[in-house]
């Protein structure tokens, strides 16, 4: 009996205008969007490679002047990920590079700073299609599953026979779901074949596995909205009213709640700006440098007063060793003080940002669309895992530069004269050769991705089960 009712439900949807609209949207939107986004990724990859070549050429022609504490002596560029084809995530919002200066890590311009006005309208990617378009279509497929038959009078006729209510409702859910997901899967497969033909590395395990996970999560997300549509249909007797309620729910769940949660988070837990933190570090360095120069000046004055005379000449190793002996303990003390205080500033700022982001994420998870987005950007490596790994790599690179390069640079005038003189006499190693190259960006591991996504996967599963259970409980207790 269940199979017969499912077949009847499938034929009912296939012969409807809704199925034609679904089929057209699937065949047009999914393959076309994947193809366009893959071309964008290819262009971003070319820009990334050209930026690295240009930076290396400029460093050879004009070696960096590390005496300037604001000068960028090296850059860590952000490499685009091929999985951004499916979900752009934070890819455009992250800075294109991290510049290493003696005052700390300075962020380059983000991709959105050069975007056109079209960026205001949002990104059209696979995540947007599933999270926004298909969720609305799922509600349109189910808003009249029960209400429509009740309004037409066919529900009473069907249940007057020996037809269990649970079989009737399961046929509505399963039949409509099959009709919905088949065009979705076919169009997604066509899109994958299209971008693979263009050069997308779908055959790699680290690419194929996230794509499979993204497919399964999309099917679960669609099931959630199918269950929501059936719940609305069981609570209402009129199909038009059910349509209005379904659309209102979609507006709040998909458009308002995920965005409004972070607006509330900014009010509840405000933070400083990145530029304010950088300026705070600059002021700290200037204040500490002033104290350090005074101490070095006092030591130098004592040395001159206790000596019959000190000559400053290029290649005078005795004088340089004596100056270094006086200067280095003070500079090391300054460097440790600056590092400790900047670390505290960074920790406080990061704690503020994490708190605000955690509040926004927690509030946004009220809507299943937020959980889908978090899972998708984790699987495609365009979310928090990519962002955190990028900035952590930049901090490690800065620590490496601070130990091997910045620690040997002094701000006092006498030391600068000696360093310039040594560079003029020693031409065996250029200034660029002393700077270690940027480390490669580490990709998030599969275990980290699954750990970060476990909560959202469970939430989607909970939503699907809970709304389905509510629909059955209400339908069983309804008077037909």
């Amino acid at each position: 009996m269940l199979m017969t009712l499912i077949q009847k439900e499938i034929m009912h949807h296939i012969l409807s205008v809704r199925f034609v609209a679904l089929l057209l949207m699937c065949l047009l939107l999914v393959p076309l969007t994947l193809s366009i986004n893959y071309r964008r990724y290819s262009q971003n990859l070319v820009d990334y490679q050209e930026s690295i070549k240009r930076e290396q050429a400029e460093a050879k022609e004009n070696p960096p002047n590390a005496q300037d504490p604001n000068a960028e002596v090296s850059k860590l560029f952000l490499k685009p990920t091929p999985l951004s084809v499916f979900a752009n995530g934070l890819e455009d919002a992250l800075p294109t590079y991290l510049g290493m200066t003696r005052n700390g890590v300075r962020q380059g311009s983000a991709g959105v700073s050069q975007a056109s006005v079209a960026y205001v309208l949002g990104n059209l990617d696979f995540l947007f299609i599933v999270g926004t378009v298909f969720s609305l279509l799922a509600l349109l497929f189910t808003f009249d599953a029960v209400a429509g038959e009740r309004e037409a009078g066919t529900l009473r006729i069907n249940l007057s026979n020996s037809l269990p209510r649970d079989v009737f409702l399961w046929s509505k859910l399963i039949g409509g779901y099959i009709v919905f997901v088949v065009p979705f899967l076919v169009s997604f497969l066509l899109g994958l074949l299209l971008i693979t033909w263009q050069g997308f590395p779908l055959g790699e395990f680290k690419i194929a596995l996230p794509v499979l996970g993204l497919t399964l999560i999309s099917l679960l997300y669609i099931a959630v909205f199918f269950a929501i549509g059936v719940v609305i249909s069981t609570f209402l007797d009129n199909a038009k009213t059910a349509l209005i309620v379904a659309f209102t729910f979609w507006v709040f769940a998909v458009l308002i709640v995920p965005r409004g949660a972070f607006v509330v988070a900014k009010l509840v837990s405000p933070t400083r700006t990145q530029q304010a933190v950088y300026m705070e570090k600059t002021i700290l360095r200037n204040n500490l440098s002033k104290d350090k120069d005074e101490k070095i000046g006092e030591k130098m004055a004592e040395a001159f007063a206790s000596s019959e005379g000190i000559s400053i000449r290029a290649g005078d190793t005795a004088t340089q060793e004596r100056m270094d002996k006086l200067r280095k303990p003070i500079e090391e003390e300054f460097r440790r003080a600056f590092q400790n205080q900047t670390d505290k500033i960074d920790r406080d700022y990061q704690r503020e940002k994490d708190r605000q982001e955690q509040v926004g994420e927690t509030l946004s998870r009220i809507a299943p669309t937020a959980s889908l987005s978090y899972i998708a950007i984790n699987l495609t490596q365009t979310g928090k895992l990519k962002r955190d790994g990028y900035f952590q790599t930049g901090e490690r690179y800065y620590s490496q530069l601070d130990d091997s390069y910045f620690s040997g640079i002094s701000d006092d005038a006498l030391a600068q004269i000696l360093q310039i003189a040594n560079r003029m006499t020693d031409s065996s190693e250029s200034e660029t050769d002393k700077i270690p190259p940027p480390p490669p960006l580490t990709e998030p591991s599969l275990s980290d991705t699954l750990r970060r996504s476990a909560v959202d996967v469970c939430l989607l599963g909970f939503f699907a089960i809970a709304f389905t259970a509510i629909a059955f409980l209400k339908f069983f207790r309804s008077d037909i």
Side-chain angles (χ1 to χ4, degrees), residues 158-227:
N158 289 329
L159 296 181
S160 64
N161 300 316
S162 58
L163 175 63
R165 294 194 178 192
D166 59 335
V167 173
F168 174 82
L169 201 56
W170 276 122
S171 67
K172 292 290 183 180
L173 279 169
I174 297 174
Y177 188 74
I178 292 174
V179 172
F180 195 96
V181 299
V182 168
F184 165 72
L185 291 175
V186 170
S187 62
F188 187 49
L189 179 61
L190 290 176
L192 291 178
L193 293 175
L194 179 60
I195 60 176
T196 303
W197 175 72
Q198 293 176 344
F200 182 74
L202 184 61
E204 298 181 8
F205 180 77
K206 63 179 182 180
I207 300 294
L209 194 61
V211 172
L212 176 61
L214 189 61
T215 306
L216 297 177
I217 289 300
S218 300
L219 294 177
L220 178 58
Y221 176 76
I222 293 172
V224 170
F225 275 86
F226 254 80

Side-chain angles (χ1 to χ4, degrees), residues 147-406:
E149 296 221 17
R150 181 184 285 117
E151 186 179 13
T154 56
L155 180 61
R156 183 184 297 271
I157 296 174
N158 289 329
L159 296 181
S160 64
N161 300 316
S162 58
L163 175 63
R165 294 194 178 192
D166 59 335
V167 173
F168 174 82
L169 201 56
W170 276 122
S171 67
K172 292 290 183 180
L173 279 169
I174 297 174
Y177 188 74
I178 292 174
V179 172
F180 195 96
V181 299
V182 168
F184 165 72
L185 291 175
V186 170
S187 62
F188 187 49
L189 179 61
L190 290 176
L192 291 178
L193 293 175
L194 179 60
I195 60 176
T196 303
W197 175 72
Q198 293 176 344
F200 182 74
L202 184 61
E204 298 181 8
F205 180 77
K206 63 179 182 180
I207 300 294
L209 194 61
V211 172
L212 176 61
L214 189 61
T215 306
L216 297 177
I217 289 300
S218 300
L219 294 177
L220 178 58
Y221 176 76
I222 293 172
V224 170
F225 275 86
F226 254 80
I228 292 172
V230 173
V231 168
I232 295 173
S233 186
T234 55
F235 272 87
L236 299 172
D237 298 331
N238 185 274
K240 292 182 180 180
T241 305
L243 176 61
I244 295 173
V245 173
F247 183 74
T248 304
F249 178 88
W250 176 83
V251 169
F252 276 92
V254 176
L255 301 181
I256 296 179
V257 172
R259 295 163 176 81
F262 288 92
V263 175
V264 175
K266 289 181 179 179
L267 299 175
V268 174
S269 180
T271 65
R272 293 169 289 174
T273 63
Q274 180 70 29
Q275 186 63 26
V277 173
Y278 185 83
M279 291 302 297
E280 187 175 351
K281 292 181 182 179
T282 302
I283 294 172
L284 174 64
R285 173 178 285 278
N286 294 336
N287 293 336
L288 291 176
S289 296
K290 183 179 179 181
D291 295 339
K292 182 194 69 171
D293 292 340
E294 291 178 357
K295 291 182 180 180
I296 292 178
E298 292 175 359
K299 292 290 184 180
M300 293 297 178
E302 293 176 2
F304 276 103
S306 61
S307 304
E308 296 180 355
I310 297 180
S311 59
I312 302 174
R313 299 189 305 270
D316 191 345
T317 57
T319 301
Q320 183 174 347
E321 289 176 358
R322 187 173 181 181
M323 294 299 101
D324 288 343
K325 187 177 181 181
L326 294 171
R327 176 174 49 84
K328 283 188 176 179
I330 300 175
E331 289 194 337
E332 183 62 25
E333 180 184 357
F334 157 78
R335 193 172 75 87
R336 286 198 303 268
F338 177 74
Q339 189 65 47
N340 292 336
Q341 295 189 45
T342 53
D343 287 345
K344 183 178 183 302
I345 293 173
D346 289 335
R347 286 195 301 270
D348 292 342
Y349 177 59
Q350 189 62 44
R351 195 179 301 114
E352 292 175 4
K353 291 199 305 180
D354 291 343
R355 188 186 304 113
Q356 183 187 91
E357 193 170 67
Q358 190 64 38
V359 171
E361 287 184 7
T362 303
L363 293 176
S364 66
R365 284 190 170 99
I366 299 173
T369 304
S371 294
L372 171 71
S373 300
Y374 298 147
I375 298 171
I377 61 178
N378 284 335
L379 289 174
T380 57
Q381 301 175 11
T382 58
K384 290 177 61 176
L385 291 175
K386 175 71 172 289
R387 181 199 63 190
D388 295 343
Y390 180 41
F391 288 121
Q392 288 170 6
T393 303
E395 292 296 335
R396 288 197 300 269
Y397 184 38
Y398 174 77
S399 299
Q400 181 184 2
L401 283 174
D402 191 45
D403 293 336
S404 62
Y405 183 68
F406 290 145

Side-chain angles (χ1 to χ4, degrees), residues 96-116:
T96 54
Y97 71 88
L98 299 178
M100 305 296 135
T101 74
R102 289 171 60 201
N103 276 340
V105 181
R106 185 162 61 189
Q107 298 183 9
S109 61
V112 296
S113 63
Q114 302 173 355
S116 65

